[in-house]
Amino acid sequence: MFSDSGCSNGYYHHQEGGAFPEHNSPRSPHRGRGRRRGRRGRSHDPSDAPAFGASRVADAERREEQKPPPCTDFDMAYFHSYAHLGIHEEMIKDRVRTDTYRAAIMRHQSSIAGKVVVDVGCGTGILSIFCAQAGAKRVYAVDASDIAVQANEVVKANNLSDTVIVLHGRVEDVEIDEEVDVIISEWMGYMLLYESMLGSVITARDRWLKPGGLILPSNATLYMAPVTHSDRYSDSIDFWRNVYGIDMSAMLPLAKQCAFEEPCIETISGENVLTWPHVVKHVDCYTVTLGELESVTTRYKFKSMMRAPLHGFAFWFDVEFNGPAISPANNHVSSSFIESSNNQSADVSQRKKRANPSEALVLSTAPEDPPTHWQQTMVFFYDPIDLEQDQLIDGSLTLTQSRENRRFMNIHLEYTSGGRSFVKESVMR
């Protein structure tokens, strides 16, 4: 990696079999973010692993389970979209996001100073530079998009080439010839899991992270809640009932399909939310596996706090920046416990976290918190359901990676209320 043929001024371009050609292409037309983005066999004595399970899975069976996927044409298009500066500008200008990451780096400065860091999906290199400013001995800034070329120029312009090494390639393919102390990544997509970038963080963890190493963020939680949004429904649907005095209600079926067939990325307020949220999935970044991300299923039960029309469900997430000692010792116990908890448990956990912010640094995309570029993900019904106060809404949700393109997400939503049952299926693409 440090040879003259592949590395210059701290920049390394990984190209294997033409898998990463140089290209310049417009940003993917999908609204919002197109969101970005090897395993190498290593000997490891399981007896050396810390009790809290903060690093790679040691046994061979788990390693085999976590083989990274091959790079597909869909992946190439995804990486290609991140060469567009507009995506990075949007993310960097999100002060909630960027300031929270910088605060997390400074809070954990004692674990970063003098240590080796990997930045997974480095983009422009801003998080890598924050880590260098915090005293990191060496930072590997990895990105498969051509934005890595500009990131290297940013590193040189800030006289950090001796500290920050930009690796242009997939985490699954690039080589780092040492273990690392810290992994940092801004991997979260819409609805947390859209784009499947967390898989690259898992791969980096299992390839390079030392036992007891630090992962930022350390864990994440996806929430859902029923919402009412009459203004949105009126603007998109009821508008067609009377257009300049003309009855265009014949357009209603098409209007509903066009407006609500796919998930929408929008900002709502706490006033739109009808109940306490339900925990869909808790992710411990120290122990989560690739297999866990292929399909997520949860059952939910809500009781409406008010009389209002139910227009759909909102989804949002938060991430925490904890050290490894704070993370649960066994992911399978912690995840299954949290996901099988009833809503009351989730509500208590949520209130406790909000009441004690000093316990953990949290980046939240909840409706009641300051807005971010992630906003909230909305799954609207084609027709609202009139709810009475205390009326129950129950059902199930399944999120699966698309077989066509693992970065897409299939959403299967079943819901029952007032004696009527419904199914809503959509694809987040």
Side-chain angles (χ1 to χ4, degrees), residues 29-56:
H30 179 74
R31 70 200 181 293
R33 316 161 110 191
R35 294 293 301 162
R36 50 193 170 278
R37 336 348 79 297
R39 269 183 81 85
R40 176 175 60 187
R42 304 178 58 199
S43 60
H44 176 64
D45 183 355
S47 65
D48 293 336
F52 47 78
S55 65
R56 303 170 307 278

Side-chain angles (χ1 to χ4, degrees), residues 53-55 183 187-188 198 201-202 205-206 209 215-220 282-289 319-320 327-328 331:
S55 65
I183 294 174
W187 54 265
M188 300 83 71
L198 177 56
V201 177
I202 294 171
R205 178 197 72 194
D206 293 344
L209 187 64
I215 304 177
L216 298 176
S218 56
N219 48 71
H282 178 80
V283 174
D284 180 346
C285 294
Y286 290 99
T287 52
V288 65
T289 66
V319 296
E320 296 185 8
S327 293
N331 181 64

Side-chain angles (χ1 to χ4, degrees), residues 289-305:
T289 66
L290 291 173
E292 284 184 58
L293 305 180
E294 293 177 358
S295 182
V296 173
T297 298
T298 186
R299 295 201 61 84
Y300 59 83
K301 180 178 288 186
F302 297 105
K303 180 184 288 187
S304 180
M305 294 180 176

Side-chain angles (χ1 to χ4, degrees), residues 227-258:
V227 294
T228 184
H229 205 335
S230 296
D231 290 343
R232 174 70 162 84
Y233 196 86
S234 178
D235 288 344
S236 299
I237 307 303
D238 293 338
F239 161 79
W240 294 102
R241 300 184 189 278
N242 185 337
V243 182
Y244 294 94
I246 301 170
D247 180 1
M248 288 196 176
S249 55
M251 304 293 290
L252 289 176
L254 181 60
K256 292 175 182 179
Q257 181 180 2
C258 292

Side-chain angles (χ1 to χ4, degrees), residues 80-97:
H80 203 165
S81 73
Y82 270 82
H84 194 287
L85 187 60
I87 296 176
H88 302 280
E89 180 180 355
E90 179 188 29
M91 293 187 290
I92 291 172
K93 285 182 175 178
D94 181 345
R95 296 300 298 266
V96 174
R97 164 199 180 270

Side-chain angles (χ1 to χ4, degrees), residues 124-393:
T124 60
I126 188 169
L127 300 185
S128 296
I129 292 174
F130 286 165
C131 289
Q133 292 173 341
K137 178 174 71 174
R138 187 157 42 255
V139 182
Y140 295 100
V142 185
D143 204 300
S145 165
D146 286 348
I147 198 67
V149 177
Q150 282 74 40
N152 188 60
E153 296 303 312
V154 171
V155 168
K156 289 194 292 184
N158 287 273
N159 299 314
L160 290 172
S161 295
D162 291 340
T163 302
V164 180
I165 301 169
V166 179
L167 304 178
H168 187 184
R170 295 197 312 162
V171 163
E172 291 82 357
D173 300 318
V174 301
E175 292 296 330
I176 296 175
D177 297 326
E178 62 181 325
E179 290 186 318
V180 305
D181 304 282
V182 181
I183 294 174
I184 189 166
S185 179
E186 196 277 80
W187 54 265
M188 300 83 71
Y190 295 127
M191 209 169 170
L192 185 63
L193 299 177
Y194 172 63
E195 297 178 16
S196 299
M197 188 183 160
L198 177 56
S200 295
V201 177
I202 294 171
T203 297
R205 178 197 72 194
D206 293 344
R207 293 187 72 187
W208 302 311
L209 187 64
K210 290 180 180 179
L214 175 67
I215 304 177
L216 298 176
S218 56
N219 48 71
T221 307
L222 174 64
Y223 303 92
M224 68 179 292
V227 294
T228 184
H229 205 335
S230 296
D231 290 343
R232 174 70 162 84
Y233 196 86
S234 178
D235 288 344
S236 299
I237 307 303
D238 293 338
F239 161 79
W240 294 102
R241 300 184 189 278
N242 185 337
V243 182
Y244 294 94
I246 301 170
D247 180 1
M248 288 196 176
S249 55
M251 304 293 290
L252 289 176
L254 181 60
K256 292 175 182 179
Q257 181 180 2
C258 292
F260 302 142
E261 181 177 19
E262 295 187 352
C264 304
I265 309 303
E266 302 180 4
T267 297
I268 62 172
S269 72
E271 296 178 354
N272 296 112
V273 181
L274 293 171
T275 71
W276 288 102
H278 170 82
V279 174
V280 174
K281 175 68 176 176
H282 178 80
V283 174
D284 180 346
C285 294
Y286 290 99
T287 52
V288 65
T289 66
L290 291 173
E292 284 184 58
L293 305 180
E294 293 177 358
S295 182
V296 173
T297 298
T298 186
R299 295 201 61 84
Y300 59 83
K301 180 178 288 186
F302 297 105
K303 180 184 288 187
S304 180
M305 294 180 176
M306 66 187 79
R307 182 181 182 182
L310 170 62
H311 290 103
F313 289 94
F315 297 83
W316 64 87
F317 65 86
D318 57 37
V319 296
E320 296 185 8
F321 297 84
N322 292 323
I326 302 175
S327 293
N330 187 310
N331 181 64
H332 298 292
V333 173
S334 63
S335 292
S336 60
F337 173 78
I338 292 173
E339 288 156 33
S340 64
S341 311
N342 58 29
N343 286 327
Q344 183 177 0
S345 298
D347 300 343
V348 170
S349 172
Q350 183 78 347
R351 287 196 296 269
K352 181 174 182 291
K353 178 162 53 183
R354 298 290 181 234
N356 298 280
S358 61
E359 293 182 2
L361 186 60
V362 178
L363 169 56
S364 172
T365 66
E368 71 270 18
D369 288 319
T372 70
H373 76 284
W374 285 283
Q375 302 177 279
Q376 288 82 42
T377 300
M378 306 292 300
V379 176
F380 284 106
F381 305 154
Y382 291 126
D383 296 290
I385 300 173
D386 290 327
L387 293 180
E388 299 295 331
Q389 185 171 341
D390 296 329
Q391 184 170 328
L392 295 180
I393 312 115

Side-chain angles (χ1 to χ4, degrees), residues 392-405:
L392 295 180
I393 312 115
D394 66 327
S396 65
L397 170 75
T398 299
L399 308 175
T400 56
Q401 292 179 358
S402 169
R403 292 184 179 180
E404 172 195 9
N405 180 355

